[in-house]
Amino acid sequence: GQNIDQPTEMTATEGAIVQINCTYQTSGFNGLFWYQQHAGEAPTFLSYNVLDGLEEKGRFSSFLSRSKGYSYLLLKELQMKDSASYLCAVQKDSNYQLIWGAGTKLIIKP
Amino acid sequence: KAGVTQTPRYLIKTRGQQVTLSCSPISGHRSVSWYQQTPGQGLQFLFEYFSETQRNKGNFPGRFSGRQFSNSRSEMNVSTLELGDSALYLCASSTAGTGKSEQYFGPGTRLTVT
């Protein structure tokens, strides 16, 4: 079977740090994507992890542990514009198809 | 470069009708994927086309079909519409659809079936 779990909703304060977790059980794994989706808009690419470890890109970092089937997205110095849904997607190794989690809605409060 | 475009943006149809949605990928992108998005369900993969061939297919009934043209533009067709087909339909294009080939999404077509 294929299963990707993310928390449904999280709340954080402007200026703080938040970690959004993603756990997965899939038949085959090639890499993991994180996308951001603002309400009423299309998803946009944030990061891609294929090897274990942390990938840092400005205020956003993404971590992957293949052996644990676990990833997280770390957002620092939160801004109001970071209020959005964050989608985790596993890329299968057999056909590169993406399997998506249901997304985590992040609410930023002043 | 122009982004991914989808037409129409909004559509209202009646049960039993059929609908065709269109997607124009970013120039040079040969892979086009289609997704259905509903609240709480996340993105559900419909199918992927690469160089006019269906390369991957999700678990949707045969009422959902698609095709890709030689210029990489793609269409998706849903026949015999059901109320449960109401959703946001997103298409995404990428250069090859493999490895770190990230997907670029269009704005989506919001389909409402009454």
Side-chain angles (χ1 to χ4, degrees):
Chain A
Q2 324 216 76
N3 196 46
I4 299 179
D5 287 318
Q6 304 179 235
T8 303
E9 187 174 296
M10 298 181 70
T11 302
T13 305
E14 191 177 13
I17 299 173
V18 71
Q19 178 175 310
I20 301 174
N21 296 327
C22 171
T23 58
Y24 61 89
Q25 289 178 306
T26 57
S27 53
F29 178 90
N30 189 68
L32 189 142
F33 286 89
W34 282 96
Y35 278 76
Q36 179 191 59
Q37 185 176 25
H38 284 101
E41 297 182 12
T44 55
F45 170 79
L46 286 177
S47 67
Y48 177 70
N49 291 71
V50 63
L51 300 176
D52 285 359
L54 189 68
E55 295 271 348
E56 297 187 75
K57 193 186 291 186
R59 294 189 300 114
F60 292 11
S61 303
S62 56
F63 172 84
L64 175 67
S65 170
R66 295 176 68 130
S67 61
K68 295 182 179 177
Y70 169 69
S71 173
Y72 68 72
L73 181 69
L74 191 71
L75 291 75
K76 303 175 186 175
E77 300 169 15
L78 286 170
Q79 302 175 9
M80 297 303 291
K81 67 178 182 180
D82 297 330
S83 291
S85 286
Y86 292 86
L87 311 177
C88 161
V90 169
Q91 183 183 50
K92 295 177 65 176
D93 57 359
S94 56
N95 57 9
Y96 300 103
Q97 181 181 327
L98 296 184
I99 311 297
W100 296 79
T104 298
K105 183 178 180 181
L106 177 63
I107 300 167
I108 309 296
K109 295 186 174 179
Chain B
K1 261 188 186 178
V4 178
T5 58
Q6 290 187 246
T7 56
R9 292 293 311 279
Y10 302 92
L11 206 49
I12 299 175
K13 290 285 188 179
T14 307
R15 267 184 307 175
Q17 288 186 313
Q18 75 159 14
V19 67
T20 299
L21 311 182
S22 181
C23 172
S24 292
I26 292 173
S27 177
H29 285 192
R30 296 166 65 188
S31 168
V32 174
S33 297
W34 287 91
Y35 296 93
Q36 181 194 67
Q37 187 175 36
T38 53
Q41 289 285 323
L43 289 169
Q44 302 295 314
F45 174 73
L46 283 153
F47 27 67
E48 183 217 359
Y49 286 87
F50 183 82
S51 294
E52 301 180 66
T53 301
Q54 187 180 86
R55 188 159 68 173
N56 288 306
K57 188 177 188 306
N59 298 321
F60 277 78
R63 300 186 296 107
F64 292 81
S65 63
R67 59 178 175 168
Q68 186 180 34
F69 302 93
S70 58
N71 61 358
S72 292
R73 189 178 71 85
S74 177
E75 287 183 347
M76 188 190 99
N77 185 277
V78 188
S79 62
T80 320
L81 284 165
E82 300 177 0
L83 294 179
D85 296 333
S86 293
L88 179 66
Y89 290 88
L90 291 163
C91 90
S93 75
S94 64
T95 51
T98 62
K100 190 199 175 288
S101 179
E102 68 202 64
Q103 295 190 349
Y104 293 83
F105 285 82
T109 294
R110 172 82 54 191
L111 172 65
T112 302
V113 182
T114 62

PDB file of all heavy atoms in Angstrom, chain B residues 88-111:
ATOM      1  N   LEU B  88     -11.273  20.717  -8.115  1.00  0.00           N
ATOM      2  CA  LEU B  88     -10.316  21.539  -8.844  1.00  0.00           C
ATOM      3  C   LEU B  88      -9.414  20.585  -9.622  1.00  0.00           C
ATOM      4  O   LEU B  88      -8.844  19.653  -9.043  1.00  0.00           O
ATOM      5  CB  LEU B  88      -9.476  22.370  -7.876  1.00  0.00           C
ATOM      6  CG  LEU B  88      -8.399  23.273  -8.499  1.00  0.00           C
ATOM      7  CD1 LEU B  88      -9.056  24.380  -9.326  1.00  0.00           C
ATOM      8  CD2 LEU B  88      -7.513  23.862  -7.417  1.00  0.00           C
ATOM      9  N   TYR B  89      -9.331  20.763 -10.916  1.00  0.00           N
ATOM     10  CA  TYR B  89      -8.480  19.921 -11.746  1.00  0.00           C
ATOM     11  C   TYR B  89      -7.234  20.704 -12.128  1.00  0.00           C
ATOM     12  O   TYR B  89      -7.314  21.760 -12.760  1.00  0.00           O
ATOM     13  CB  TYR B  89      -9.247  19.435 -12.981  1.00  0.00           C
ATOM     14  CG  TYR B  89     -10.304  18.435 -12.601  1.00  0.00           C
ATOM     15  CD1 TYR B  89     -11.584  18.857 -12.247  1.00  0.00           C
ATOM     16  CD2 TYR B  89     -10.012  17.084 -12.533  1.00  0.00           C
ATOM     17  CE1 TYR B  89     -12.548  17.946 -11.834  1.00  0.00           C
ATOM     18  CE2 TYR B  89     -10.974  16.168 -12.123  1.00  0.00           C
ATOM     19  CZ  TYR B  89     -12.233  16.606 -11.767  1.00  0.00           C
ATOM     20  OH  TYR B  89     -13.176  15.702 -11.357  1.00  0.00           O
ATOM     21  N   LEU B  90      -6.115  20.175 -11.722  1.00  0.00           N
ATOM     22  CA  LEU B  90      -4.832  20.836 -11.949  1.00  0.00           C
ATOM     23  C   LEU B  90      -4.010  20.060 -12.959  1.00  0.00           C
ATOM     24  O   LEU B  90      -3.988  18.824 -12.921  1.00  0.00           O
ATOM     25  CB  LEU B  90      -4.039  20.913 -10.634  1.00  0.00           C
ATOM     26  CG  LEU B  90      -4.582  21.852  -9.559  1.00  0.00           C
ATOM     27  CD1 LEU B  90      -3.967  21.521  -8.216  1.00  0.00           C
ATOM     28  CD2 LEU B  90      -4.312  23.298  -9.916  1.00  0.00           C
ATOM     29  N   CYS B  91      -3.345  20.793 -13.819  1.00  0.00           N
ATOM     30  CA  CYS B  91      -2.370  20.127 -14.659  1.00  0.00           C
ATOM     31  C   CYS B  91      -0.998  20.689 -14.305  1.00  0.00           C
ATOM     32  O   CYS B  91      -0.879  21.827 -13.837  1.00  0.00           O
ATOM     33  CB  CYS B  91      -2.683  20.247 -16.146  1.00  0.00           C
ATOM     34  SG  CYS B  91      -1.979  21.646 -16.982  1.00  0.00           S
ATOM     35  N   ALA B  92       0.007  19.882 -14.493  1.00  0.00           N
ATOM     36  CA  ALA B  92       1.372  20.271 -14.166  1.00  0.00           C
ATOM     37  C   ALA B  92       2.296  19.802 -15.278  1.00  0.00           C
ATOM     38  O   ALA B  92       2.145  18.692 -15.786  1.00  0.00           O
ATOM     39  CB  ALA B  92       1.800  19.656 -12.838  1.00  0.00           C
ATOM     40  N   SER B  93       3.236  20.642 -15.638  1.00  0.00           N
ATOM     41  CA  SER B  93       4.185  20.233 -16.673  1.00  0.00           C
ATOM     42  C   SER B  93       5.601  20.187 -16.103  1.00  0.00           C
ATOM     43  O   SER B  93       5.917  20.845 -15.112  1.00  0.00           O
ATOM     44  CB  SER B  93       4.122  21.177 -17.879  1.00  0.00           C
ATOM     45  OG  SER B  93       4.757  22.420 -17.617  1.00  0.00           O
ATOM     46  N   SER B  94       6.424  19.366 -16.709  1.00  0.00           N
ATOM     47  CA  SER B  94       7.839  19.288 -16.338  1.00  0.00           C
ATOM     48  C   SER B  94       8.628  18.914 -17.575  1.00  0.00           C
ATOM     49  O   SER B  94       8.069  18.467 -18.575  1.00  0.00           O
ATOM     50  CB  SER B  94       8.060  18.267 -15.215  1.00  0.00           C
ATOM     51  OG  SER B  94       7.730  16.968 -15.637  1.00  0.00           O
ATOM     52  N   THR B  95       9.942  19.072 -17.479  1.00  0.00           N
ATOM     53  CA  THR B  95      10.781  18.820 -18.646  1.00  0.00           C
ATOM     54  C   THR B  95      10.730  17.350 -19.042  1.00  0.00           C
ATOM     55  O   THR B  95      10.509  17.011 -20.198  1.00  0.00           O
ATOM     56  CB  THR B  95      12.234  19.225 -18.380  1.00  0.00           C
ATOM     57  OG1 THR B  95      12.646  18.609 -17.154  1.00  0.00           O
ATOM     58  CG2 THR B  95      12.366  20.727 -18.246  1.00  0.00           C
ATOM     59  N   ALA B  96      10.912  16.469 -18.043  1.00  0.00           N
ATOM     60  CA  ALA B  96      10.955  15.044 -18.374  1.00  0.00           C
ATOM     61  C   ALA B  96      10.095  14.210 -17.444  1.00  0.00           C
ATOM     62  O   ALA B  96       9.802  13.067 -17.728  1.00  0.00           O
ATOM     63  CB  ALA B  96      12.390  14.531 -18.319  1.00  0.00           C
ATOM     64  N   GLY B  97       9.707  14.772 -16.315  1.00  0.00           N
ATOM     65  CA  GLY B  97       8.889  14.027 -15.365  1.00  0.00           C
ATOM     66  C   GLY B  97       9.656  12.987 -14.593  1.00  0.00           C
ATOM     67  O   GLY B  97       9.081  12.113 -13.977  1.00  0.00           O
ATOM     68  N   THR B  98      10.986  13.067 -14.616  1.00  0.00           N
ATOM     69  CA  THR B  98      11.804  12.094 -13.884  1.00  0.00           C
ATOM     70  C   THR B  98      12.766  12.819 -12.963  1.00  0.00           C
ATOM     71  O   THR B  98      13.048  14.010 -13.138  1.00  0.00           O
ATOM     72  CB  THR B  98      12.621  11.221 -14.852  1.00  0.00           C
ATOM     73  OG1 THR B  98      13.503  12.074 -15.589  1.00  0.00           O
ATOM     74  CG2 THR B  98      11.718  10.482 -15.817  1.00  0.00           C
ATOM     75  N   GLY B  99      13.297  12.083 -11.968  1.00  0.00           N
ATOM     76  CA  GLY B  99      14.295  12.658 -11.080  1.00  0.00           C
ATOM     77  C   GLY B  99      13.845  13.957 -10.462  1.00  0.00           C
ATOM     78  O   GLY B  99      12.699  14.109 -10.066  1.00  0.00           O
ATOM     79  N   LYS B 100      14.750  14.936 -10.452  1.00  0.00           N
ATOM     80  CA  LYS B 100      14.461  16.207  -9.813  1.00  0.00           C
ATOM     81  C   LYS B 100      13.717  17.143 -10.776  1.00  0.00           C
ATOM     82  O   LYS B 100      13.810  18.341 -10.678  1.00  0.00           O
ATOM     83  CB  LYS B 100      15.750  16.876  -9.339  1.00  0.00           C
ATOM     84  CG  LYS B 100      15.490  18.088  -8.438  1.00  0.00           C
ATOM     85  CD  LYS B 100      16.700  18.972  -8.365  1.00  0.00           C
ATOM     86  CE  LYS B 100      16.412  20.224  -7.580  1.00  0.00           C
ATOM     87  NZ  LYS B 100      15.549  21.139  -8.297  1.00  0.00           N
ATOM     88  N   SER B 101      13.016  16.553 -11.716  1.00  0.00           N
ATOM     89  CA  SER B 101      12.280  17.353 -12.678  1.00  0.00           C
ATOM     90  C   SER B 101      11.019  17.865 -11.999  1.00  0.00           C
ATOM     91  O   SER B 101       9.998  17.178 -11.980  1.00  0.00           O
ATOM     92  CB  SER B 101      11.946  16.472 -13.885  1.00  0.00           C
ATOM     93  OG  SER B 101      11.227  17.167 -14.832  1.00  0.00           O
ATOM     94  N   GLU B 102      11.095  19.055 -11.411  1.00  0.00           N
ATOM     95  CA  GLU B 102       9.966  19.564 -10.642  1.00  0.00           C
ATOM     96  C   GLU B 102       8.797  19.884 -11.553  1.00  0.00           C
ATOM     97  O   GLU B 102       8.968  20.192 -12.736  1.00  0.00           O
ATOM     98  CB  GLU B 102      10.372  20.817  -9.871  1.00  0.00           C
ATOM     99  CG  GLU B 102      10.671  22.016 -10.742  1.00  0.00           C
ATOM    100  CD  GLU B 102      11.544  23.032 -10.054  1.00  0.00           C
ATOM    101  OE1 GLU B 102      12.692  22.697  -9.747  1.00  0.00           O
ATOM    102  OE2 GLU B 102      11.063  24.159  -9.845  1.00  0.00           O
ATOM    103  N   GLN B 103       7.609  19.798 -10.977  1.00  0.00           N
ATOM    104  CA  GLN B 103       6.395  20.061 -11.733  1.00  0.00           C
ATOM    105  C   GLN B 103       5.954  21.506 -11.523  1.00  0.00           C
ATOM    106  O   GLN B 103       5.985  22.026 -10.414  1.00  0.00           O
ATOM    107  CB  GLN B 103       5.286  19.101 -11.295  1.00  0.00           C
ATOM    108  CG  GLN B 103       5.620  17.659 -11.630  1.00  0.00           C
ATOM    109  CD  GLN B 103       4.437  16.735 -11.435  1.00  0.00           C
ATOM    110  OE1 GLN B 103       3.421  17.098 -10.864  1.00  0.00           O
ATOM    111  NE2 GLN B 103       4.578  15.513 -11.913  1.00  0.00           N
ATOM    112  N   TYR B 104       5.527  22.130 -12.601  1.00  0.00           N
ATOM    113  CA  TYR B 104       4.994  23.486 -12.558  1.00  0.00           C
ATOM    114  C   TYR B 104       3.492  23.377 -12.815  1.00  0.00           C
ATOM    115  O   TYR B 104       3.074  22.831 -13.838  1.00  0.00           O
ATOM    116  CB  TYR B 104       5.647  24.361 -13.630  1.00  0.00           C
ATOM    117  CG  TYR B 104       7.111  24.613 -13.384  1.00  0.00           C
ATOM    118  CD1 TYR B 104       8.068  23.684 -13.767  1.00  0.00           C
ATOM    119  CD2 TYR B 104       7.542  25.782 -12.762  1.00  0.00           C
ATOM    120  CE1 TYR B 104       9.421  23.903 -13.528  1.00  0.00           C
ATOM    121  CE2 TYR B 104       8.892  26.017 -12.529  1.00  0.00           C
ATOM    122  CZ  TYR B 104       9.817  25.063 -12.915  1.00  0.00           C
ATOM    123  OH  TYR B 104      11.153  25.289 -12.678  1.00  0.00           O
ATOM    124  N   PHE B 105       2.725  23.921 -11.892  1.00  0.00           N
ATOM    125  CA  PHE B 105       1.281  23.773 -11.959  1.00  0.00           C
ATOM    126  C   PHE B 105       0.603  24.960 -12.633  1.00  0.00           C
ATOM    127  O   PHE B 105       1.039  26.111 -12.508  1.00  0.00           O
ATOM    128  CB  PHE B 105       0.698  23.628 -10.550  1.00  0.00           C
ATOM    129  CG  PHE B 105       0.926  22.284  -9.939  1.00  0.00           C
ATOM    130  CD1 PHE B 105       2.127  21.981  -9.319  1.00  0.00           C
ATOM    131  CD2 PHE B 105      -0.066  21.316  -9.988  1.00  0.00           C
ATOM    132  CE1 PHE B 105       2.342  20.723  -8.752  1.00  0.00           C
ATOM    133  CE2 PHE B 105       0.136  20.065  -9.414  1.00  0.00           C
ATOM    134  CZ  PHE B 105       1.333  19.773  -8.809  1.00  0.00           C
ATOM    135  N   GLY B 106      -0.487  24.636 -13.325  1.00  0.00           N
ATOM    136  CA  GLY B 106      -1.360  25.666 -13.838  1.00  0.00           C
ATOM    137  C   GLY B 106      -2.325  26.117 -12.754  1.00  0.00           C
ATOM    138  O   GLY B 106      -2.347  25.542 -11.663  1.00  0.00           O
ATOM    139  N   PRO B 107      -3.145  27.141 -13.033  1.00  0.00           N
ATOM    140  CA  PRO B 107      -4.061  27.684 -12.032  1.00  0.00           C
ATOM    141  C   PRO B 107      -5.257  26.782 -11.734  1.00  0.00           C
ATOM    142  O   PRO B 107      -5.939  26.976 -10.742  1.00  0.00           O
ATOM    143  CB  PRO B 107      -4.525  29.006 -12.651  1.00  0.00           C
ATOM    144  CG  PRO B 107      -4.388  28.779 -14.113  1.00  0.00           C
ATOM    145  CD  PRO B 107      -3.205  27.897 -14.293  1.00  0.00           C
ATOM    146  N   GLY B 108      -5.473  25.797 -12.598  1.00  0.00           N
ATOM    147  CA  GLY B 108      -6.562  24.860 -12.357  1.00  0.00           C
ATOM    148  C   GLY B 108      -7.866  25.246 -13.030  1.00  0.00           C
ATOM    149  O   GLY B 108      -8.088  26.404 -13.397  1.00  0.00           O
ATOM    150  N   THR B 109      -8.709  24.250 -13.191  1.00  0.00           N
ATOM    151  CA  THR B 109     -10.086  24.436 -13.659  1.00  0.00           C
ATOM    152  C   THR B 109     -10.999  23.982 -12.532  1.00  0.00           C
ATOM    153  O   THR B 109     -10.913  22.834 -12.083  1.00  0.00           O
ATOM    154  CB  THR B 109     -10.380  23.608 -14.922  1.00  0.00           C
ATOM    155  OG1 THR B 109      -9.600  24.091 -16.004  1.00  0.00           O
ATOM    156  CG2 THR B 109     -11.866  23.709 -15.273  1.00  0.00           C
ATOM    157  N   ARG B 110     -11.841  24.886 -12.060  1.00  0.00           N
ATOM    158  CA  ARG B 110     -12.800  24.548 -10.993  1.00  0.00           C
ATOM    159  C   ARG B 110     -14.070  24.028 -11.657  1.00  0.00           C
ATOM    160  O   ARG B 110     -14.797  24.776 -12.307  1.00  0.00           O
ATOM    161  CB  ARG B 110     -13.102  25.782 -10.155  1.00  0.00           C
ATOM    162  CG  ARG B 110     -14.214  25.627  -9.155  1.00  0.00           C
ATOM    163  CD  ARG B 110     -13.788  24.968  -7.869  1.00  0.00           C
ATOM    164  NE  ARG B 110     -12.657  25.608  -7.214  1.00  0.00           N
ATOM    165  CZ  ARG B 110     -12.006  25.060  -6.201  1.00  0.00           C
ATOM    166  NH1 ARG B 110     -12.382  23.881  -5.736  1.00  0.00           N
ATOM    167  NH2 ARG B 110     -11.001  25.677  -5.635  1.00  0.00           N
ATOM    168  N   LEU B 111     -14.333  22.724 -11.506  1.00  0.00           N
ATOM    169  CA  LEU B 111     -15.511  22.086 -12.101  1.00  0.00           C
ATOM    170  C   LEU B 111     -16.567  21.864 -11.028  1.00  0.00           C
ATOM    171  O   LEU B 111     -16.283  21.277  -9.982  1.00  0.00           O
ATOM    172  CB  LEU B 111     -15.134  20.747 -12.737  1.00  0.00           C
ATOM    173  CG  LEU B 111     -16.283  19.878 -13.240  1.00  0.00           C
ATOM    174  CD1 LEU B 111     -17.017  20.555 -14.390  1.00  0.00           C
ATOM    175  CD2 LEU B 111     -15.780  18.500 -13.669  1.00  0.00           C
TER     176      LEU B 111
END
